[in-house]
Amino acid sequence: MKFSVFIATSVDGFIAKPDGNVDWLHTAGNLEADMGTEDMGFKSYMNAVDCMIMGRKCMEVISEMNLTPEQWFYGDTRIVVLSSTLTEPPENLRGKVEMYAGDIHSLVDKLEKEGYKHAYVDGGKTIQSFINLQLINEIIITKIPVLLGEGIPLFGKTFKDIKLEKASAITFPNDFIQVKYSVNYE
């Protein structure tokens, strides 16, 4: 099974402010840029995955957005939320996400047995856990042109140096830069 990351960070590597706020994602960059229908590859990426695994905090940020059905980013993609503290999702996400408490390898085995082939992994701690289990195969990071100075970092402590290879980059009219890497744990 393939596991990949598609995430945005500030140039200094934060995925959110210390309080979890991500409003800066919508205020940074060239707001006057003509993006046309460009979604920076998200729709294409979502079409390539067949399930999603996210952390509880990531789910809570999405819940707080209170998205309408038309704004829902994920279509009908199966979403599994990792949490050791919650057994039920927030009311506005019921029927859209399922909660999971347990071993990641057991979840992976379950998804593989059910025929899933490519999972989108989201949320800082969840991404970190999958990296330390050597499960992430590909990382796509969109650098947002803002320095936050502090916040929740994308990456934390790793068990060893991890090589990122086969880099490719795209720049967008709004001054965002997206870099794609393959992950090599050897």
Side-chain angles (χ1 to χ4, degrees):
M1 189 168 180
K2 179 179 179 178
F3 297 90
S4 61
V5 172
F6 190 106
I7 198 160
T9 70
S10 62
V11 171
D12 49 354
F14 298 108
I15 58 173
K17 289 184 176 179
D19 64 359
N21 183 299
V22 294
D23 288 350
W24 53 274
L25 289 170
H26 307 290
T27 59
N30 179 356
L31 301 176
E32 310 274 315
D34 180 7
M35 295 296 288
T37 59
E38 180 60 62
D39 69 350
M40 292 175 276
F42 189 71
K43 184 175 182 180
S44 173
Y45 177 77
M46 285 304 299
N47 288 335
V49 301
D50 53 11
C51 65
M52 182 174 184
I53 302 166
M54 72 171 62
R56 176 188 54 82
K57 288 182 183 176
C58 184
M59 175 197 67
E60 289 173 345
V61 168
I62 292 166
S63 174
E64 288 170 13
M65 291 178 185
N66 235 351
L67 301 169
T68 65
E70 298 77 34
Q71 295 170 314
W72 184 247
F73 319 124
Y74 308 112
D76 59 359
T77 302
R78 179 179 181 185
I79 301 173
V80 179
V81 178
L82 305 181
S83 178
S84 58
T85 57
L86 293 179
T87 56
E88 293 289 327
E91 185 67 37
N92 65 344
L93 294 182
R94 295 221 171 114
K96 294 180 180 174
V97 304
E98 62 188 84
M99 306 304 292
Y100 178 84
D103 178 71
I104 290 173
H105 284 296
S106 296
L107 174 61
V108 169
D109 289 344
K110 180 179 186 277
L111 291 171
E112 285 180 330
K113 285 178 185 162
E114 292 174 5
Y116 290 94
K117 305 257 186 263
H118 184 182
Y120 170 8
V121 179
D122 200 10
K125 288 185 180 182
T126 302
I127 292 167
Q128 192 66 39
S129 295
F130 274 73
I131 285 173
N132 282 325
L133 292 171
Q134 300 186 41
L135 292 172
I136 299 293
N137 309 96
E138 179 181 85
I139 298 175
I140 301 166
I141 302 171
T142 303
K143 293 285 189 173
I144 311 301
V146 64
L147 298 172
L148 296 179
E150 65 177 341
I152 300 168
L154 172 55
F155 299 110
K157 186 175 179 175
T158 57
F159 64 96
K160 67 174 187 171
D161 291 351
I162 299 168
K163 293 180 184 177
L164 302 179
E165 306 175 324
K166 302 176 185 170
S168 62
I170 303 169
T171 58
F172 296 101
N174 61 353
D175 297 328
F176 289 23
I177 300 172
Q178 188 174 86
V179 184
K180 180 178 177 179
Y181 299 101
S182 291
V183 182
N184 181 346
Y185 296 101
E186 292 179 15

